[in-house]
Amino acid sequence: EAQVTQNPRYLITVTGKKLTVTCSQNMNHEYMSWYRQDPGLGLRQIYYSMNVEVTDKGDVPEGYKVSRKEKRNFPLILESPSPNQTSLYFCASSLPGTGPYEQYFGPGTRLTVT
Amino acid sequence: AQSVSQHNHHVILSEAASLELGCNYSYGGTVNLFWYVQYPGQHLQLLLKYFSGDPLVKGIKGFEAEFIKSKFSFNLRKPSVQWSDTAEYFCAVKGTYKYIFGTGTRLKVLA
């Protein structure tokens, strides 16, 4: 089954404790992206990757890191989480980023930082 | 700056009513436009998309959208909603690589 998976689905952590949210897709997609969803703000793009070893900032990259060492994986790293990063996070993938291709979304990771 | 505006934040309709959700975008280049739906507790799914050709686009579940270039709009429509259409709807514009989403419209359909 074609899908985007994220782990963990739920995470409660404390301020400053480094964490990684994993994202994996099995569709051989070149483009992958991370979003955060907050009430009243919709989805905002954090980082995206056009292909392996090629990443760029979205609209809200502060406090996040990403890496794309393999085509299928695109982990999101919070080096020092803060309460304002409490949010619902979605990973997505699609065919090449320059085309009119829709994104396929993962199930989401609900992160709470206390 | 690139942006997407969804004018209706909350919409409540009775079953069989017609639906139109507004979406306006601001983007200087060639755009690809999308409507996604998020059912309660689920991830986003594509309803329809436009990138060229016929400005009236038909999607899944009876939804359609019309691209009006002169108005920078891409409104979503459905002639007769069902209770199962209760969800949050997002308009999105894609430039070269970046996606910009609107803030979403929560639709509640009363049975």
Side-chain angles (χ1 to χ4, degrees), chain A residues 9-63:
Chain A
R9 296 286 313 279
Y10 301 91
L11 180 59
I12 301 174
T13 190
V14 296
T15 300
K17 185 177 182 182
K18 181 180 178 179
L19 66 92
T20 299
V21 183
T22 64
C23 172
S24 183
Q25 51 93 4
N26 63 2
M27 294 169 278
N28 202 34
H29 284 165
E30 285 84 354
Y31 185 91
M32 296 186 75
S33 182
W34 276 103
Y35 297 87
R36 60 178 290 173
Q37 183 180 14
D38 301 289
L41 298 177
L43 274 81
R44 293 177 293 168
Q45 195 171 34
I46 302 170
Y47 270 95
Y48 59 92
S49 170
M50 292 79 83
N51 214 325
V52 175
E53 302 289 5
V54 185
T55 63
D56 205 351
K57 297 176 181 178
D59 288 326
V60 288
E62 294 77 20

Short mmCIF file of all heavy atoms in Angstrom, two decimals, chain A residues 9-63:
data_model
loop_
_atom_site.label_atom_id
_atom_site.label_comp_id
_atom_site.label_asym_id
_atom_site.label_seq_id
_atom_site.Cartn_x
_atom_site.Cartn_y
_atom_site.Cartn_z
N ARG A 9 3.27 8.95 16.70
CA ARG A 9 2.02 9.64 16.41
C ARG A 9 1.69 10.66 17.49
O ARG A 9 1.08 11.68 17.22
CB ARG A 9 0.88 8.63 16.31
CG ARG A 9 1.03 7.65 15.15
CD ARG A 9 0.74 8.34 13.83
NE ARG A 9 -0.47 9.13 13.86
CZ ARG A 9 -1.69 8.65 13.72
NH1 ARG A 9 -1.85 7.37 13.50
NH2 ARG A 9 -2.73 9.45 13.76
N TYR A 10 2.08 10.38 18.70
CA TYR A 10 1.86 11.29 19.82
C TYR A 10 3.15 11.37 20.63
O TYR A 10 3.81 10.35 20.86
CB TYR A 10 0.72 10.79 20.73
CG TYR A 10 -0.58 10.63 20.01
CD1 TYR A 10 -0.92 9.42 19.42
CD2 TYR A 10 -1.49 11.69 19.93
CE1 TYR A 10 -2.12 9.27 18.75
CE2 TYR A 10 -2.69 11.54 19.26
CZ TYR A 10 -3.00 10.32 18.67
OH TYR A 10 -4.18 10.19 18.01
N LEU A 11 3.49 12.57 21.07
CA LEU A 11 4.71 12.75 21.83
C LEU A 11 4.53 13.91 22.79
O LEU A 11 4.13 15.01 22.39
CB LEU A 11 5.89 13.02 20.89
CG LEU A 11 7.25 13.24 21.54
CD1 LEU A 11 7.65 12.03 22.38
CD2 LEU A 11 8.31 13.52 20.48
N ILE A 12 4.82 13.65 24.06
CA ILE A 12 4.85 14.69 25.08
C ILE A 12 6.28 14.75 25.58
O ILE A 12 6.85 13.73 25.99
CB ILE A 12 3.88 14.39 26.24
CG1 ILE A 12 2.45 14.27 25.71
CG2 ILE A 12 3.97 15.48 27.30
CD1 ILE A 12 1.44 13.83 26.77
N THR A 13 6.86 15.94 25.55
CA THR A 13 8.24 16.08 25.98
C THR A 13 8.40 17.37 26.78
O THR A 13 7.45 18.13 26.95
CB THR A 13 9.18 16.07 24.77
OG1 THR A 13 10.54 15.99 25.21
CG2 THR A 13 9.02 17.34 23.94
N VAL A 14 9.61 17.58 27.25
CA VAL A 14 9.88 18.78 28.05
C VAL A 14 10.78 19.73 27.27
O VAL A 14 11.50 19.33 26.35
CB VAL A 14 10.53 18.42 29.40
CG1 VAL A 14 9.58 17.59 30.25
CG2 VAL A 14 11.85 17.68 29.19
N THR A 15 10.72 20.97 27.65
CA THR A 15 11.53 22.00 26.99
C THR A 15 13.00 21.62 26.98
O THR A 15 13.55 21.21 28.01
CB THR A 15 11.33 23.34 27.70
OG1 THR A 15 9.94 23.71 27.62
CG2 THR A 15 12.18 24.42 27.05
N GLY A 16 13.61 21.71 25.80
CA GLY A 16 15.04 21.51 25.68
C GLY A 16 15.50 20.10 25.40
O GLY A 16 16.68 19.88 25.10
N LYS A 17 14.61 19.15 25.45
CA LYS A 17 15.01 17.75 25.22
C LYS A 17 14.88 17.41 23.74
O LYS A 17 13.77 17.30 23.20
CB LYS A 17 14.15 16.81 26.06
CG LYS A 17 14.60 15.36 25.98
CD LYS A 17 13.76 14.49 26.89
CE LYS A 17 14.25 13.05 26.84
NZ LYS A 17 13.42 12.17 27.69
N LYS A 18 16.01 17.20 23.10
CA LYS A 18 16.06 16.95 21.66
C LYS A 18 15.16 15.79 21.26
O LYS A 18 15.08 14.78 21.95
CB LYS A 18 17.50 16.66 21.24
CG LYS A 18 17.66 16.40 19.75
CD LYS A 18 19.12 16.13 19.39
CE LYS A 18 19.28 15.83 17.90
NZ LYS A 18 20.71 15.57 17.54
N LEU A 19 14.48 15.96 20.13
CA LEU A 19 13.63 14.88 19.64
C LEU A 19 13.66 14.84 18.11
O LEU A 19 13.99 15.82 17.44
CB LEU A 19 12.19 15.04 20.14
CG LEU A 19 11.41 16.25 19.64
CD1 LEU A 19 10.60 15.91 18.38
CD2 LEU A 19 10.47 16.75 20.73
N THR A 20 13.33 13.68 17.60
CA THR A 20 13.24 13.46 16.16
C THR A 20 11.92 12.80 15.83
O THR A 20 11.51 11.84 16.48
CB THR A 20 14.39 12.55 15.67
OG1 THR A 20 15.64 13.18 15.96
CG2 THR A 20 14.28 12.30 14.18
N VAL A 21 11.25 13.33 14.82
CA VAL A 21 10.05 12.73 14.29
C VAL A 21 10.42 12.14 12.92
O VAL A 21 10.93 12.85 12.06
CB VAL A 21 8.91 13.74 14.13
CG1 VAL A 21 7.64 13.05 13.65
CG2 VAL A 21 8.65 14.47 15.45
N THR A 22 10.17 10.87 12.78
CA THR A 22 10.56 10.23 11.52
C THR A 22 9.43 10.28 10.50
O THR A 22 8.24 10.33 10.86
CB THR A 22 10.97 8.77 11.74
OG1 THR A 22 9.83 8.02 12.20
CG2 THR A 22 12.09 8.67 12.75
N CYS A 23 9.83 10.28 9.24
CA CYS A 23 8.86 10.26 8.13
C CYS A 23 9.43 9.35 7.06
O CYS A 23 10.60 9.50 6.68
CB CYS A 23 8.64 11.65 7.59
SG CYS A 23 7.63 11.68 6.08
N SER A 24 8.61 8.48 6.54
CA SER A 24 9.06 7.57 5.50
C SER A 24 7.95 7.39 4.47
O SER A 24 6.78 7.30 4.83
CB SER A 24 9.43 6.23 6.12
OG SER A 24 9.94 5.35 5.15
N GLN A 25 8.34 7.33 3.19
CA GLN A 25 7.36 7.09 2.13
C GLN A 25 7.85 5.96 1.23
O GLN A 25 9.05 5.79 1.03
CB GLN A 25 7.11 8.37 1.32
CG GLN A 25 8.35 9.08 0.81
CD GLN A 25 8.79 8.71 -0.58
OE1 GLN A 25 8.15 7.94 -1.28
NE2 GLN A 25 9.93 9.27 -0.99
N ASN A 26 6.89 5.20 0.71
CA ASN A 26 7.24 4.03 -0.10
C ASN A 26 6.83 4.20 -1.56
O ASN A 26 6.61 3.22 -2.28
CB ASN A 26 6.61 2.77 0.49
CG ASN A 26 5.09 2.83 0.50
OD1 ASN A 26 4.48 3.79 0.04
ND2 ASN A 26 4.46 1.79 1.03
N MET A 27 6.70 5.46 -2.01
CA MET A 27 6.23 5.73 -3.37
C MET A 27 7.34 6.22 -4.29
O MET A 27 7.09 6.65 -5.41
CB MET A 27 5.11 6.77 -3.30
CG MET A 27 3.87 6.24 -2.58
SD MET A 27 2.66 7.51 -2.21
CE MET A 27 3.34 8.22 -0.71
N ASN A 28 8.58 6.20 -3.80
CA ASN A 28 9.73 6.64 -4.58
C ASN A 28 9.61 8.11 -5.00
O ASN A 28 10.08 8.52 -6.06
CB ASN A 28 9.94 5.77 -5.83
CG ASN A 28 11.37 5.83 -6.33
OD1 ASN A 28 12.32 5.96 -5.56
ND2 ASN A 28 11.54 5.77 -7.64
N HIS A 29 8.97 8.90 -4.14
CA HIS A 29 8.79 10.31 -4.43
C HIS A 29 10.06 11.10 -4.19
O HIS A 29 10.76 10.90 -3.21
CB HIS A 29 7.68 10.90 -3.55
CG HIS A 29 6.31 10.51 -4.00
ND1 HIS A 29 5.20 10.66 -3.20
CD2 HIS A 29 5.86 10.01 -5.17
CE1 HIS A 29 4.13 10.26 -3.85
NE2 HIS A 29 4.51 9.86 -5.05
N GLU A 30 10.30 12.06 -5.12
CA GLU A 30 11.48 12.92 -4.97
C GLU A 30 11.25 14.00 -3.90
O GLU A 30 12.14 14.35 -3.16
CB GLU A 30 11.81 13.61 -6.30
CG GLU A 30 12.46 12.71 -7.35
CD GLU A 30 11.43 11.93 -8.15
OE1 GLU A 30 10.21 11.99 -7.84
OE2 GLU A 30 11.84 11.23 -9.11
N TYR A 31 10.05 14.54 -3.86
CA TYR A 31 9.75 15.71 -3.04
C TYR A 31 9.15 15.28 -1.72
O TYR A 31 8.23 14.46 -1.67
CB TYR A 31 8.78 16.61 -3.80
CG TYR A 31 8.46 17.94 -3.14
CD1 TYR A 31 9.21 19.07 -3.42
CD2 TYR A 31 7.38 18.05 -2.27
CE1 TYR A 31 8.90 20.29 -2.83
CE2 TYR A 31 7.07 19.26 -1.67
CZ TYR A 31 7.84 20.38 -1.96
OH TYR A 31 7.53 21.59 -1.38
N MET A 32 9.68 15.84 -0.63
CA MET A 32 9.10 15.61 0.69
C MET A 32 9.07 16.92 1.45
O MET A 32 9.88 17.82 1.18
CB MET A 32 9.90 14.55 1.46
CG MET A 32 9.87 13.17 0.79
SD MET A 32 10.66 11.88 1.77
CE MET A 32 9.41 11.60 3.06
N SER A 33 8.16 16.99 2.41
CA SER A 33 7.95 18.26 3.08
C SER A 33 7.41 18.04 4.48
O SER A 33 6.76 17.01 4.74
CB SER A 33 6.96 19.10 2.26
OG SER A 33 6.75 20.37 2.85
N TRP A 34 7.66 19.00 5.36
CA TRP A 34 7.10 19.00 6.70
C TRP A 34 6.24 20.24 6.90
O TRP A 34 6.62 21.34 6.48
CB TRP A 34 8.20 19.00 7.76
CG TRP A 34 8.73 17.64 8.08
CD1 TRP A 34 9.89 17.09 7.67
CD2 TRP A 34 8.08 16.67 8.90
NE1 TRP A 34 10.01 15.81 8.18
CE2 TRP A 34 8.92 15.53 8.93
CE3 TRP A 34 6.87 16.63 9.62
CZ2 TRP A 34 8.60 14.38 9.66
CZ3 TRP A 34 6.55 15.49 10.33
CH2 TRP A 34 7.41 14.38 10.36
N TYR A 35 5.10 20.04 7.59
CA TYR A 35 4.19 21.12 7.91
C TYR A 35 3.84 21.04 9.39
O TYR A 35 3.85 19.97 9.99
CB TYR A 35 2.88 21.00 7.12
CG TYR A 35 3.04 21.10 5.64
CD1 TYR A 35 3.34 19.97 4.87
CD2 TYR A 35 2.91 22.32 4.99
CE1 TYR A 35 3.49 20.07 3.50
CE2 TYR A 35 3.05 22.43 3.62
CZ TYR A 35 3.34 21.30 2.88
OH TYR A 35 3.49 21.40 1.52
N ARG A 36 3.46 22.20 9.92
CA ARG A 36 2.82 22.22 11.21
C ARG A 36 1.42 22.83 11.04
O ARG A 36 1.22 23.74 10.23
CB ARG A 36 3.63 22.99 12.25
CG ARG A 36 3.90 24.43 11.97
CD ARG A 36 4.67 25.08 13.12
NE ARG A 36 3.86 25.23 14.33
CZ ARG A 36 4.32 25.63 15.50
NH1 ARG A 36 5.61 25.92 15.63
NH2 ARG A 36 3.52 25.76 16.54
N GLN A 37 0.47 22.27 11.77
CA GLN A 37 -0.91 22.74 11.70
C GLN A 37 -1.33 23.28 13.04
O GLN A 37 -1.29 22.56 14.05
CB GLN A 37 -1.85 21.60 11.27
CG GLN A 37 -3.29 22.06 11.11
CD GLN A 37 -4.22 20.94 10.69
OE1 GLN A 37 -3.87 19.76 10.74
NE2 GLN A 37 -5.41 21.30 10.24
N ASP A 38 -1.72 24.53 13.06
CA ASP A 38 -2.15 25.19 14.28
C ASP A 38 -3.52 25.81 14.06
O ASP A 38 -3.81 26.33 12.97
CB ASP A 38 -1.14 26.27 14.68
CG ASP A 38 0.25 25.71 14.90
OD1 ASP A 38 0.42 25.00 15.90
OD2 ASP A 38 1.14 25.97 14.07
N PRO A 39 -4.37 25.80 15.07
CA PRO A 39 -5.73 26.35 14.93
C PRO A 39 -5.70 27.79 14.45
O PRO A 39 -4.98 28.63 14.98
CB PRO A 39 -6.29 26.25 16.36
CG PRO A 39 -5.52 25.15 16.99
CD PRO A 39 -4.14 25.23 16.42
N GLY A 40 -6.49 28.05 13.42
CA GLY A 40 -6.58 29.40 12.88
C GLY A 40 -5.45 29.80 11.96
O GLY A 40 -5.51 30.85 11.32
N LEU A 41 -4.43 28.97 11.87
CA LEU A 41 -3.27 29.29 11.02
C LEU A 41 -3.13 28.34 9.85
O LEU A 41 -2.28 28.54 8.99
CB LEU A 41 -1.98 29.29 11.85
CG LEU A 41 -1.90 30.32 12.97
CD1 LEU A 41 -0.62 30.16 13.76
CD2 LEU A 41 -2.01 31.75 12.41
N GLY A 42 -3.91 27.28 9.82
CA GLY A 42 -3.82 26.31 8.73
C GLY A 42 -2.51 25.55 8.78
O GLY A 42 -1.93 25.33 9.84
N LEU A 43 -2.06 25.12 7.62
CA LEU A 43 -0.79 24.41 7.52
C LEU A 43 0.29 25.37 7.07
O LEU A 43 0.10 26.14 6.12
CB LEU A 43 -0.88 23.28 6.49
CG LEU A 43 -1.42 21.95 6.99
CD1 LEU A 43 -2.92 22.00 7.03
CD2 LEU A 43 -0.97 20.82 6.08
N ARG A 44 1.41 25.30 7.73
CA ARG A 44 2.54 26.12 7.35
C ARG A 44 3.74 25.22 7.09
O ARG A 44 4.05 24.34 7.89
CB ARG A 44 2.85 27.15 8.45
CG ARG A 44 1.76 28.19 8.61
CD ARG A 44 2.07 29.15 9.74
NE ARG A 44 2.04 28.49 11.05
CZ ARG A 44 2.50 29.03 12.16
NH1 ARG A 44 3.05 30.24 12.14
NH2 ARG A 44 2.41 28.38 13.30
N GLN A 45 4.40 25.48 5.98
CA GLN A 45 5.51 24.63 5.55
C GLN A 45 6.76 24.96 6.36
O GLN A 45 7.17 26.13 6.44
CB GLN A 45 5.75 24.80 4.05
CG GLN A 45 6.62 23.73 3.44
CD GLN A 45 6.65 23.82 1.93
OE1 GLN A 45 6.58 24.90 1.34
NE2 GLN A 45 6.73 22.67 1.26
N ILE A 46 7.39 23.93 6.91
CA ILE A 46 8.57 24.12 7.74
C ILE A 46 9.83 24.00 6.89
O ILE A 46 10.66 24.91 6.84
CB ILE A 46 8.61 23.08 8.88
CG1 ILE A 46 7.34 23.17 9.74
CG2 ILE A 46 9.85 23.29 9.74
CD1 ILE A 46 7.20 22.04 10.73
N TYR A 47 9.99 22.86 6.26
CA TYR A 47 11.10 22.57 5.36
C TYR A 47 10.58 21.68 4.24
O TYR A 47 9.60 20.97 4.41
CB TYR A 47 12.22 21.82 6.08
CG TYR A 47 13.28 22.69 6.72
CD1 TYR A 47 13.20 23.03 8.07
CD2 TYR A 47 14.37 23.13 5.98
CE1 TYR A 47 14.17 23.82 8.66
CE2 TYR A 47 15.35 23.93 6.57
CZ TYR A 47 15.25 24.27 7.91
OH TYR A 47 16.21 25.05 8.50
N TYR A 48 11.29 21.72 3.13
CA TYR A 48 11.00 20.79 2.06
C TYR A 48 12.30 20.28 1.46
O TYR A 48 13.37 20.88 1.66
CB TYR A 48 10.10 21.41 0.99
CG TYR A 48 10.65 22.63 0.31
CD1 TYR A 48 11.38 22.53 -0.87
CD2 TYR A 48 10.41 23.90 0.82
CE1 TYR A 48 11.87 23.65 -1.50
CE2 TYR A 48 10.89 25.02 0.20
CZ TYR A 48 11.62 24.89 -0.97
OH TYR A 48 12.10 26.02 -1.59
N SER A 49 12.19 19.18 0.74
CA SER A 49 13.35 18.57 0.11
C SER A 49 12.99 18.19 -1.31
O SER A 49 12.02 17.46 -1.53
CB SER A 49 13.79 17.33 0.89
OG SER A 49 14.77 16.61 0.18
N MET A 50 13.77 18.66 -2.26
CA MET A 50 13.52 18.35 -3.65
C MET A 50 14.05 16.99 -4.05
O MET A 50 13.59 16.37 -5.00
CB MET A 50 14.13 19.43 -4.56
CG MET A 50 13.45 20.77 -4.44
SD MET A 50 13.95 21.70 -2.99
CE MET A 50 15.46 22.43 -3.60
N ASN A 51 15.06 16.53 -3.31
CA ASN A 51 15.65 15.22 -3.57
C ASN A 51 16.69 14.93 -2.50
O ASN A 51 16.90 15.74 -1.59
CB ASN A 51 16.26 15.15 -4.97
CG ASN A 51 16.13 13.78 -5.62
OD1 ASN A 51 16.20 12.74 -4.94
ND2 ASN A 51 15.90 13.75 -6.91
N VAL A 52 17.35 13.82 -2.62
CA VAL A 52 18.36 13.44 -1.62
C VAL A 52 19.42 14.54 -1.51
O VAL A 52 19.91 15.04 -2.53
CB VAL A 52 19.01 12.10 -2.01
CG1 VAL A 52 20.13 11.76 -1.04
CG2 VAL A 52 17.98 10.99 -2.02
N GLU A 53 19.71 14.91 -0.27
CA GLU A 53 20.73 15.91 0.04
C GLU A 53 20.37 17.32 -0.43
O GLU A 53 21.22 18.21 -0.39
CB GLU A 53 22.10 15.52 -0.55
CG GLU A 53 22.62 14.17 -0.09
CD GLU A 53 23.07 14.15 1.37
OE1 GLU A 53 22.89 15.16 2.08
OE2 GLU A 53 23.55 13.10 1.83
N VAL A 54 19.13 17.57 -0.84
CA VAL A 54 18.69 18.90 -1.27
C VAL A 54 17.49 19.33 -0.44
O VAL A 54 16.40 18.76 -0.58
CB VAL A 54 18.32 18.93 -2.76
CG1 VAL A 54 17.99 20.37 -3.19
CG2 VAL A 54 19.44 18.37 -3.62
N THR A 55 17.70 20.28 0.45
CA THR A 55 16.61 20.75 1.29
C THR A 55 16.57 22.27 1.28
O THR A 55 17.56 22.93 0.94
CB THR A 55 16.76 20.28 2.76
OG1 THR A 55 17.95 20.83 3.30
CG2 THR A 55 16.84 18.76 2.84
N ASP A 56 15.42 22.82 1.66
CA ASP A 56 15.29 24.27 1.71
C ASP A 56 14.23 24.64 2.73
O ASP A 56 13.37 23.83 3.10
CB ASP A 56 14.95 24.85 0.35
CG ASP A 56 15.41 26.31 0.21
OD1 ASP A 56 15.83 26.92 1.23
OD2 ASP A 56 15.34 26.85 -0.90
N LYS A 57 14.32 25.91 3.19
CA LYS A 57 13.41 26.38 4.22
C LYS A 57 12.04 26.69 3.64
O LYS A 57 11.91 27.20 2.53
CB LYS A 57 13.96 27.64 4.86
CG LYS A 57 15.28 27.43 5.58
CD LYS A 57 15.81 28.76 6.10
CE LYS A 57 17.15 28.57 6.81
NZ LYS A 57 17.72 29.86 7.28
N GLY A 58 11.03 26.38 4.45
CA GLY A 58 9.68 26.83 4.14
C GLY A 58 9.43 28.16 4.81
O GLY A 58 10.34 28.98 4.95
N ASP A 59 8.22 28.35 5.28
CA ASP A 59 7.85 29.63 5.88
C ASP A 59 8.16 29.74 7.37
O ASP A 59 8.30 30.83 7.90
CB ASP A 59 6.35 29.89 5.67
CG ASP A 59 6.04 30.21 4.23
OD1 ASP A 59 6.89 30.84 3.57
OD2 ASP A 59 4.96 29.83 3.74
N VAL A 60 8.27 28.60 8.06
CA VAL A 60 8.49 28.64 9.51
C VAL A 60 9.59 27.67 9.92
O VAL A 60 9.37 26.73 10.69
CB VAL A 60 7.18 28.34 10.28
CG1 VAL A 60 6.22 29.51 10.19
CG2 VAL A 60 6.52 27.05 9.78
N PRO A 61 10.84 27.86 9.45
CA PRO A 61 11.90 26.90 9.72
C PRO A 61 12.58 27.04 11.08
O PRO A 61 13.31 26.15 11.51
CB PRO A 61 12.89 27.19 8.60
CG PRO A 61 12.73 28.66 8.37
CD PRO A 61 11.27 28.94 8.58
N GLU A 62 12.35 28.16 11.78
CA GLU A 62 13.12 28.43 13.00
C GLU A 62 12.85 27.37 14.05
O GLU A 62 11.71 27.06 14.37
CB GLU A 62 12.76 29.81 13.56
CG GLU A 62 13.15 30.99 12.68
CD GLU A 62 12.22 31.18 11.50
OE1 GLU A 62 11.07 30.66 11.56
OE2 GLU A 62 12.62 31.83 10.53
N GLY A 63 13.94 26.82 14.61
CA GLY A 63 13.82 25.82 15.65
C GLY A 63 13.76 24.39 15.16
O GLY A 63 13.63 23.45 15.95
#
